Amino acid sequence: MNSIALPTHHGVVRIDHNYMASINSVLDFPKTGFLLCLQGSISIADTNNFHDLTSRDLYIYKPNTQIYIKTWSRDFEALVAVIDIEVMMPIIAPIIDIETGMTVLANPCVSLSAQQVSGIIELTDAYMRREPLPDSQIKTELMNSLASSICYELALAYKDNIKKEPQPSTRADQIFIKFLFSIKENISSHHEVAFYAGKQNLSPKYFSLIIKSVTGIYAGEWIRIVILSIAKNMLKHSKTSIKEIAYSLGFPSQANFGRFFKHNTGISPGQFRFRAEM
C-alpha cells in the first residue's frame, strides 16, 4: 500500500493499516471529499473537533482541511475520495439550504446503514475500475458522471442519518455559507467580489481571505466555479439557447460569455453542448 497516493484532483482510493503506517501524522485535503470507514477504527482531528470513526462511519471534509491522525486499529480499512467542486455544485445547489449547510459543517460525521455503504462501495468501485482507461473526452464525461452519482448517494445517505441539531459554527463558516447562497440568488446580475462582500458588510480583501481560510479558494474563484457549473448544467440538460444562457448568467453578450467559457474550459459553449449530446 505504500505506493498509494491520495487523489489531488478527484478520485477514490482504499487505505488500510499499512498505508497509515507509511505516512506522516497529517493528511492535507485541498479539495472536498469524504472518508468512509469500512472496518476497524480510526481517531482523527480536524481544526474543529476530534472524531472517532468505526465501521460504516462517514466523515465529510470541506476543502483545505488538514486531518491529524491520532490512532487507528490494525484491521482499519477505509475509502478516501476527493471530488471537484465543479462536479458537486450542480448537485448540492438545488438540495442544500443554509440550515443543512451549517449542519454539515458542524456535524461532518454520520453512521450509515450496511445498505448505504454497499451502494457507495459499488459506485466507487466502478469509478476506480475505469480510472486506468486512456484519457479522452468520453472518459472525462464518464468519470464526472460517476463522481456525480457518488455525490448523490452521499447526499441521500447523509440526510437520512443526520440526527444532531446544528452546533455553533465559526463566523467564517457562516460567512462562507451565506456567500454560496448569495451567489445562487445574484449570479445573474453580479460577478464582483465587492458586491458579495458588501452583502455581509466586509471589505472585498478581508472577505476573500475569509472564504479562502474556510475552503482554500478565494471568493473570485468561487464565483467563477458557480458560473461554470450553472452554464455546463444548462448546456447539457436544457434546450436554452447559448445567447439566453449568457444573459441569464449576467454576461452582456453571447460573445463575452463564449470568451469566458473557452478561457476556462478550452472549448466553446457550442462545442461543449455538441460533445455532451454525442
Side-chain angles (χ1 to χ4, degrees):
M1 292 290 290
N2 289 4
S3 63
I4 288 179
L6 294 178
T8 55
H9 182 50
H10 64 244
V12 185
V13 296
R14 285 189 181 231
I15 61 174
D16 64 5
H17 164 77
N18 293 327
Y19 173 82
M20 301 303 292
S22 71
I23 62 173
N24 296 323
S25 60
V26 178
L27 294 177
D28 287 298
F29 293 102
K31 297 181 182 292
T32 195
F34 68 87
L35 186 154
L36 175 60
C37 187
L38 300 178
Q39 67 177 33
S41 62
I42 186 170
S43 179
I44 61 175
D46 54 30
T47 53
N48 296 319
N49 271 308
F50 281 95
H51 307 284
D52 295 315
L53 307 178
T54 57
S55 179
R56 303 206 308 263
D57 284 350
L58 173 70
Y59 170 73
I60 298 176
Y61 59 84
K62 63 189 179 184
N64 205 33
T65 293
Q66 280 194 325
I67 295 177
Y68 302 86
I69 303 159
K70 186 179 178 184
T71 60
W72 64 90
S73 63
R74 290 195 64 84
D75 62 342
F76 169 71
E77 186 177 347
L79 281 173
V80 176
V82 173
I83 302 174
D84 263 0
I85 193 65
E86 289 188 23
V87 174
M88 292 183 64
M89 279 304 297
I91 298 167
I92 65 175
I95 63 175
I96 196 171
D97 53 32
I98 289 179
E99 182 179 355
T100 303
M102 299 307 294
T103 301
V104 174
L105 287 173
N107 302 288
C109 296
V110 293
S111 295
L112 308 185
S113 69
Q115 183 177 7
Q116 288 168 330
V117 170
S118 178
I120 293 169
I121 290 174
E122 181 181 352
L123 290 171
T124 53
D125 281 350
Y127 187 101
M128 288 187 285
R129 283 197 304 271
R130 288 160 176 80
E131 278 190 305
L133 292 173
D135 288 335
S136 68
Q137 181 64 29
I138 294 175
K139 178 191 174 181
T140 298
E141 293 299 328
L142 172 63
M143 301 305 277
N144 285 346
S145 294
L146 286 170
S148 296
S149 298
I150 293 169
C151 288
Y152 278 118
E153 194 80 24
L154 287 168
L156 284 171
Y158 186 90
K159 293 191 78 172
D160 284 348
N161 288 282
I162 187 66
K163 296 180 175 64
K164 296 180 181 178
E165 292 296 319
Q167 300 298 311
S169 57
T170 67
R171 180 167 178 265
D173 285 341
Q174 294 172 358
I175 289 170
F176 169 60
I177 291 294
K178 290 177 182 177
F179 172 48
L180 281 188
F181 285 93
S182 186
I183 296 176
K184 285 172 59 179
E185 294 171 357
N186 297 285
I187 200 64
S188 62
S189 53
H190 293 284
H191 296 176
E192 315 83 19
V193 172
F195 171 82
Y196 297 100
K199 295 279 284 184
Q200 301 198 48
N201 299 313
L202 298 169
S203 73
K205 183 177 180 180
Y206 181 58
F207 175 74
S208 195
L209 287 173
I210 289 176
I211 300 304
K212 187 176 190 300
S213 73
V214 175
T215 68
I217 301 173
Y218 287 110
E221 179 70 1
W222 272 103
I223 295 168
R224 182 193 70 82
I225 287 171
V226 172
I227 294 171
L228 278 177
S229 172
I230 296 171
K232 288 178 178 179
N233 192 50
M234 293 180 75
L235 288 166
K236 277 185 180 180
H237 304 299
S238 79
K239 298 298 183 182
T240 308
S241 72
I242 293 175
K243 183 177 182 179
E244 289 175 312
I245 292 173
Y247 289 141
S248 72
L249 290 172
F251 289 91
S253 68
Q254 181 176 333
N256 190 278
F257 169 63
R259 285 192 293 272
F260 167 85
F261 193 90
K262 188 168 185 178
H263 175 76
N264 285 282
T265 66
I267 58 175
S268 70
Q271 289 172 316
F272 181 87
R273 172 169 274 174
F274 176 76
R275 292 180 182 181
E277 292 172 347
M278 289 178 62

